[in-house]
Amino acid sequence: MTDPGLTKPIPGVPPSEEIRAKLAEEGRPVCVAFSGGKDCIAAELALQESGVETVLAHLYLIPGKEPGRTLGFVEDGLKAMEDRWQKPIHRYPHPSFYRMLNNLVFQPPERCSVIEAANLPTVTYEVMWDLIRADLGLPADTWVADGVRAADSLPRRASIKNHGAMKPKNHKVSPVWDWKQGKVYDYIRAHGVDLPVDYEWFDRSFDGIDHRFLRPVMDNAPEDYAQILAWFPLAEMEIIRHGI
């Protein structure tokens, strides 16, 4: 019987169940790009259930007050998952953090020359994951799993159709690519996992510093809001522009 929780098959792309079985058969650890959102949680649970050993790595958008940490509410969500699975979630800066600084996003004039003089690196995702593999002592050809799903959008389905759900060139794999959103939520619920507070505030994981994210953070986590402004002072203009 066809699983109603799965999307229409894509010719030439193996079902996600088959992909997870292949990863288990390889018998090697898989690095999971763990944003803390529903899709990566489902991917991690599905890999665990398939007998795949995983190593979790989180890319944080905003550095926290403590080195190697991020905003408090994000840390709370990551810590809950660490406690549940009894293994660490390794933290690394997100390439977008450097991109925003280098593009002077929400920076006042007096900071611009300082940022430009710092000559911060422009880090691609490919380079970042190469560095993460090396830092974790994983082979260079270790698969990095994400929560990308074809049902998310037409561009994502087109990408999977054109490039597949297992990409040997950059060692990326999408182990729940054919799951619909309902299956993701049902699967997480069946495993008794609580989604982070992000889903109460934003209906998704924290992923930017525009008004959609800033206002709920300002209202619910003022210390984290202040930390965002410490890095991007003019982000407050988003609040003013939409009306305080």
Side-chain angles (χ1 to χ4, degrees):
M1 178 182 292
T2 302
D3 186 341
L6 300 180
T7 63
K8 182 180 178 180
I10 297 177
V13 181
S16 63
E17 184 177 11
E18 185 176 319
I19 288 174
R20 295 192 300 274
K22 178 177 174 58
L23 293 172
E25 185 179 335
E26 288 185 2
R28 301 191 303 154
V30 169
C31 187
V32 176
F34 195 80
S35 68
K38 68 182 191 310
D39 296 326
C40 71
I41 291 174
E44 166 65 12
L45 290 170
L47 289 169
Q48 287 182 14
E49 198 164 60
S50 298
V52 178
E53 180 186 350
T54 59
V55 180
L56 307 181
H58 173 79
L59 301 179
Y60 54 81
L61 186 63
I62 307 293
K65 293 182 178 180
E66 298 181 22
R69 298 291 170 177
T70 184
L71 301 176
F73 76 90
V74 180
E75 283 292 331
D76 289 344
L78 296 177
K79 185 65 167 58
M81 294 297 101
E82 288 179 320
D83 290 345
R84 179 179 184 86
W85 292 323
Q86 290 297 295
K87 61 181 177 181
I89 299 174
H90 305 276
R91 277 84 152 163
Y92 299 94
H94 199 292
S96 290
F97 171 65
Y98 296 105
R99 176 184 55 78
M100 290 192 296
L101 285 179
N102 285 330
N103 285 283
L104 307 177
V105 173
F106 290 136
Q107 298 299 328
E110 63 271 17
R111 284 194 177 190
C112 295
S113 60
V114 176
I115 292 172
E116 290 172 343
N119 195 28
L120 296 171
T122 300
V123 186
T124 65
Y125 283 98
E126 289 74 17
V127 168
M128 178 60 75
W129 286 109
D130 285 343
L131 293 171
I132 290 173
R133 290 185 186 97
D135 185 64
L136 296 176
L138 297 171
D141 63 349
T142 297
W143 291 102
V144 174
D146 57 35
V148 169
R149 295 182 299 108
D152 264 353
S153 65
L154 288 176
R156 285 197 168 183
R157 185 173 182 87
S159 176
I160 292 172
K161 179 180 179 180
N162 293 331
H163 305 290
M166 294 188 81
K167 306 174 183 67
K169 183 178 179 180
N170 58 7
H171 311 295
K172 296 294 291 295
V173 60
S174 302
V176 292
W177 75 265
D178 53 0
W179 289 23
K180 294 180 181 178
Q181 181 170 276
K183 183 177 179 69
V184 169
Y185 280 114
D186 289 345
Y187 192 72
I188 292 172
R189 191 179 302 113
H191 283 76
V193 176
D194 294 325
L195 291 173
V197 73
D198 306 44
Y199 283 83
E200 296 179 22
W201 297 356
F202 326 118
D203 199 31
R204 56 177 298 174
S205 58
F206 178 67
D207 190 32
I209 53 173
D210 57 75
H211 186 264
R212 295 172 301 159
F213 300 101
L214 286 179
R215 185 58 196 245
V217 173
M218 184 184 77
D219 291 342
N220 295 283
E223 289 188 6
D224 289 334
Y225 179 69
Q227 183 66 10
I228 294 173
L229 295 187
W231 285 103
F232 302 97
L234 296 186
E236 191 169 24
M237 296 300 293
E238 280 286 284
I239 302 297
I240 296 171
R241 183 165 68 91
H242 286 81
I244 297 178

